[in-house]
Amino acid sequence: MINRAIQGKEPEVFEYFLNTSKGVRWYQARIALIDNDRHSVSISVRNITDRKALENSLISAKMEAERASLAKSEFLSSMSHEFKTPLNAIMGFAQLLEIDTEASLNEFQKQSVKEIYKAGNHLLDLINKVLDLAKIETGKFDVVIKPVEIKPVLEASINLVKPLADLKGIAITAAYSGCENYCVAADQIRLKQVLLNIFSNAIKYSFDNGMVESSCQEFDGWLRLSIIDSGLGIPLEEQGKIFDPFFRASNINHLIEGTGIGLPVARELIELMGGNLGFDSQEGKGSHFWFELPLVHAGSAERMTKWITY
Ligand code: ADP
């Protein structure tokens, strides 16, 4: 090392350990030429045993946390699969009751079957979201990135959430500011999933007769999609937790159906597609959720060849 320091111009810095009578001791040494005369060097050594012990304990704590997180994701994934089979049977038998012409149901029974369906669908939705989350966390999630026209996806999503908005007298608007024919690089199904989640939150957490406004903006090769509501907003002190799985803010009415998985999944999906998702919110005033995806101008065929499947 001394020779290397003499031959090179930069100081040599390295770590090494010694087996001492008191156990392993770690040191960091620095060897540098004095005045570049290539004859004398200065050597300084310091004991870094404590720092090494701390580093090692941090590394093992991190590995342990990662192992636990993976075990949790795998558990969620296998439990969700286990739930799906009996749930399908429950829904299937409810359907049989409904369509059985030989023993038709009375009004009360029909209503009960409807409730079984409603609860079943809710549970199925929850299971699918947990499965998505577990798949994302274990890196087993597939997205197929292709150019996707923004306007049809946005319109289809608005049409799907409109009945929910109508029930609360909420008007939904879409402004394209010249981006009507633009395409983004995205997985169409997952993009729609994200839009549906943000739109349905904007409606769920809005006051009756409110407004939900969506708009698109182009900047530096990106398309930013914004969804603004005039609803409950999110308390400032809870905004840092909003992407934690299963977190729901304290200001919402807990009778509103929800699981706290939609937003974490939405953010992971947008990041898997190479974009960003964020929000600004003011309690009592409303929220602005937005995401950005790489822009592709419609019909740019040569770029179509590069689309990636993860
Ligand atoms: P869910 O709506 O199923 O509870 P999400 O993960 O989609 O789960 O959202 C997490 C939490 O973030 C919600 O429970 C709610 O407290 C808050 N939130 C999300 N979107 C909005 C919004 N537009 N306005 C107010 N609060 C919101």
Side-chain angles (χ1 to χ4, degrees):
M1 285 299 194
I2 292 172
N3 279 339
R4 266 171 61 173
I6 289 174
Q7 277 150 23
K9 285 210 171 99
E10 296 300 315
E12 288 290 330
V13 179
F14 56 97
E15 292 174 2
Y16 62 97
F17 66 87
L18 297 177
N19 276 315
T20 72
S21 57
K22 289 183 182 155
V24 174
R25 291 283 182 266
W26 276 91
Y27 300 93
Q28 187 185 57
R30 182 177 187 277
I31 307 178
L33 279 176
I34 298 175
D35 297 334
N36 278 345
D37 70 359
R38 301 200 178 267
H39 293 297
S40 22
V41 290
S42 79
I43 303 177
S44 47
V45 175
R46 64 192 180 103
N47 186 334
I48 55 164
T49 308
D50 289 347
R51 195 197 80 197
K52 276 281 166 194
L54 184 67
E55 266 175 27
N56 286 341
S57 67
L58 284 178
I59 290 169
S60 45
K62 185 166 172 275
M63 279 167 62
E64 184 51 42
E66 280 169 0
R67 245 198 317 272
S69 164
L70 192 67
K72 180 207 72 188
S73 301
E74 277 166 2
F75 170 76
L76 281 179
S77 167
S78 58
M79 280 306 287
S80 303
H81 278 298
E82 293 304 318
F83 279 139
K84 261 190 158 177
T85 318
L87 184 59
N88 280 332
I90 293 170
M91 309 262 285
F93 280 106
Q95 199 171 23
L96 282 180
L97 283 175
E98 202 175 33
I99 60 176
D100 188 350
T101 45
E102 280 172 24
S104 57
L105 303 178
N106 64 32
E107 259 327 294
F108 173 73
Q109 289 165 328
K110 275 188 196 152
Q111 204 51 44
S112 305
V113 170
K114 242 193 209 136
E115 288 302 322
I116 296 176
Y117 259 142
K118 210 170 122 204
N121 271 323
H122 179 60
L123 206 52
L124 199 60
D125 182 50
L126 171 64
I127 290 170
N128 285 334
K129 281 183 178 156
V130 170
L131 269 174
D132 278 355
L133 188 70
K135 269 198 229 156
I136 289 172
E137 285 181 351
T138 50
K140 290 179 188 154
F141 203 91
D142 295 329
V143 285
V144 181
I145 311 278
K146 286 186 179 155
V148 178
E149 262 189 82
I150 198 67
K151 192 174 174 205
V153 187
L154 196 55
E155 282 180 350
S157 310
I158 292 178
N159 283 339
L160 279 172
V161 293
K162 203 169 171 304
L164 195 64
D166 288 345
L167 280 179
K168 294 179 80 174
I170 293 173
I172 311 183
T173 60
Y176 295 96
S177 26
C179 303
E180 288 83 347
N181 301 320
Y182 283 12
C183 291
V184 285
D187 179 317
Q188 177 152 359
I189 294 172
R190 299 306 177 179
L191 173 60
K192 204 160 152 191
Q193 179 177 348
V194 171
L195 280 168
L196 286 177
N197 187 71
I198 299 181
F199 271 122
S200 56
N201 279 351
I203 297 165
K204 274 195 306 187
Y205 304 117
S206 271
F207 307 111
D208 285 359
N209 306 316
M211 281 284 286
V212 173
E213 296 167 348
S214 59
S215 60
C216 307
Q217 262 178 316
E218 178 195 358
F219 72 96
D220 294 341
W222 292 80
L223 191 83
R224 173 186 270 232
L225 234 142
S226 295
I227 295 166
I228 299 178
D229 66 64
S230 52
L232 295 174
I234 301 162
L236 191 60
E237 61 283 7
E238 292 178 5
Q239 292 188 3
K241 295 192 200 144
I242 220 70
F243 294 108
D244 291 354
F246 306 106
F247 181 81
R248 304 193 78 200
S250 58
N251 64 332
I252 60 167
N253 175 351
H254 281 268
L255 294 177
I256 299 174
E257 273 183 8
T259 50
I261 315 183
L263 278 183
V265 169
R267 186 166 74 168
E268 295 279 357
L269 287 177
I270 291 290
E271 285 176 1
L272 268 179
M273 295 189 253
N276 313 293
L277 186 150
F279 71 97
D280 308 298
S281 185
Q282 235 185 315
E283 194 176 4
K285 293 236 162 99
S287 306
H288 169 196
F289 279 83
W290 52 262
F291 60 84
E292 296 156 352
L293 285 169
L295 196 58
V296 195
H297 289 282
S300 54
E302 84 280 8
R303 298 183 72 175
M304 300 276 286
T305 50
K306 303 197 309 201
W307 303 113
I308 323 150
T309 306
Y310 294 105

